[in-house]
Amino acid sequence: MSNNITCELVKFETMVSDGVITSFWVSVRSHGLWLQAAQSAVEQIVPLEKDMFNSLSTFFYGVEKIEYRSHDYTNLKCFVNARVMLDRLLNKEDNGVEDR
């Protein structure tokens, strides 16, 4: 699930770097992340698992929009990346895989 968030964020970042959109923002809403391009109809809703939704909605309580390239956006990316790493570590342990 966290990988889906990362993929969608990268898609929007790529659209900005390619000049397709000028910027975008992210909002934590209704058990998902809502990505919306600035001055465009481009949008995407990414469903979140309950624990991820609870964590993000608590962390970003009172933040209506997380603007691309803002401090809050950097925090969002760090949070999601940490979750991806944790999920991979837990999955690795669950599968009985060990580093050698």
Side-chain angles (χ1 to χ4, degrees), residues 2-21 24 26 33 35 44 46 68-69 73 76-77 80-81 84:
S2 300
N3 281 332
N4 294 343
I5 298 167
T6 302
C7 289
E8 291 303 323
L9 292 174
V10 168
K11 285 180 190 175
F12 273 72
E13 291 170 3
T14 301
M15 285 192 279
V16 171
S17 66
D18 291 347
V20 176
I21 59 175
F24 67 95
V26 182
L33 285 183
L35 288 77
Q44 179 67 39
V46 182
Y68 176 54
R69 293 189 174 137
Y73 186 79
L76 173 65
K77 294 266 304 209
V80 171
N81 289 339
V84 168

Side-chain angles (χ1 to χ4, degrees), residues 25-68:
W25 52 265
V26 182
S27 185
V28 182
R29 295 186 184 177
S30 303
H31 304 289
L33 285 183
W34 182 21
L35 288 77
Q36 173 70 49
Q39 302 172 348
S40 174
V42 178
E43 66 181 30
Q44 179 67 39
I45 297 173
V46 182
L48 297 174
E49 294 173 357
K50 185 177 180 179
D51 63 332
M52 181 68 125
F53 172 78
N54 289 340
S55 297
L56 286 174
S57 61
T58 299
F59 189 82
F60 290 105
Y61 178 78
V63 178
E64 186 177 328
K65 295 179 181 179
I66 303 166
E67 298 281 344
Y68 176 54

Side-chain angles (χ1 to χ4, degrees), residues 3 83-98:
N3 281 332
R83 177 60 185 262
V84 168
M85 289 173 42
L86 180 61
D87 287 348
R88 286 181 184 164
L89 286 172
L90 292 174
N91 189 36
K92 193 176 193 180
E93 288 177 8
D94 289 345
N95 290 330
V97 177
E98 296 179 16

